[in-house]
Each structure stands twice: as C-alpha cells, then as structure tokens.
Amino acid sequence: MRRGVIGANLFLMFLLELGVITGAAFWGFTLPGGLVTQLTAGVLAPALFVLMWALFGAAANARFPLTGWWRVALEVIWFGGGAVAWAVAVTPVLGIGFFVLWGVNATVRIVTQDGLQVRVGE
C-alpha cells in the first residue's frame, strides 16, 4: 500500500510540475500588451521555471540538488510561482487550489519519504 501511495503522489508531483510550466506559459501568453510581449513572456517564463527546476529541483539529475530548508524554499518559490501565474491568468481560486494541492503532495512526501527530496529508484 505504501508503494502505491508513494507512486500516486510522485505522479501527482509530475502533474504539478507540468502545471507550473503550463501556468507560466498561460500567464505569459495572456498578458495585456502586444503580440511581441505575449510571445516573449509566454516562452521565457516557462523556460526560466524549467531552468530553475533543472538546476536545483529535478529528482534524477539536478545540477545543484537542494536539501533541507533550501529545498523547502525552492518548492515554495517554484510551486508558489506556478500558483500565482494561474491565479493572475485565470482566477485566484485556481491559484489557491493549485498551491493547496502542492501542500498536500509535499506533506505526503514528507510522511512517506522522510523529506521533500524525491528519491529515484526506491
């Protein structure tokens, strides 16, 4: 049962990661302003989120993996940024729901895996 919970929660985390990237793109493409502004923000915002996750948060091969409170800060900023993007681009309720869902996911990871760091291959 524990493996099933961990697997389902990791799948949820993957969906949340995609949600951050999608939210950043949606925010950028819906900004008020001209087409150049929208295209630039719609491409660069998710690219910056992806870069930040690749450098510090990716489970399998982060260049500079963070642990402890640094990992907490990374996830609050990263998933919080995605929540803010959804809140601004669509509705605050969606942003709040997104952040709450991440909170549940993080809590399950802490309880089942003794921390936020995702361990690959366990």
Side-chain angles (χ1 to χ4, degrees), residues 33-70:
L35 182 61
V36 172
T37 300
Q38 291 175 337
L39 286 174
T40 302
V43 171
L44 287 182
L48 290 174
F49 272 98
V50 167
L51 178 64
M52 186 164 91
W53 197 250
L55 288 174
F56 304 109
N61 55 358
R63 180 82 167 110
F64 308 102
L66 299 178
T67 58
W69 287 107
W70 289 108

Side-chain angles (χ1 to χ4, degrees), residues 2-3 5 9 24-25 31 33 42 46 54-55 65 67 72 76 78 83 86 91-93 113 115 119:
R2 180 179 162 107
R3 285 192 98 170
V5 170
N9 199 52
L31 276 177
L55 288 174
T67 58
V72 173
V76 168
W78 207 76
W86 282 117
T91 177
V93 173
Q113 296 185 295
R119 291 170 195 84

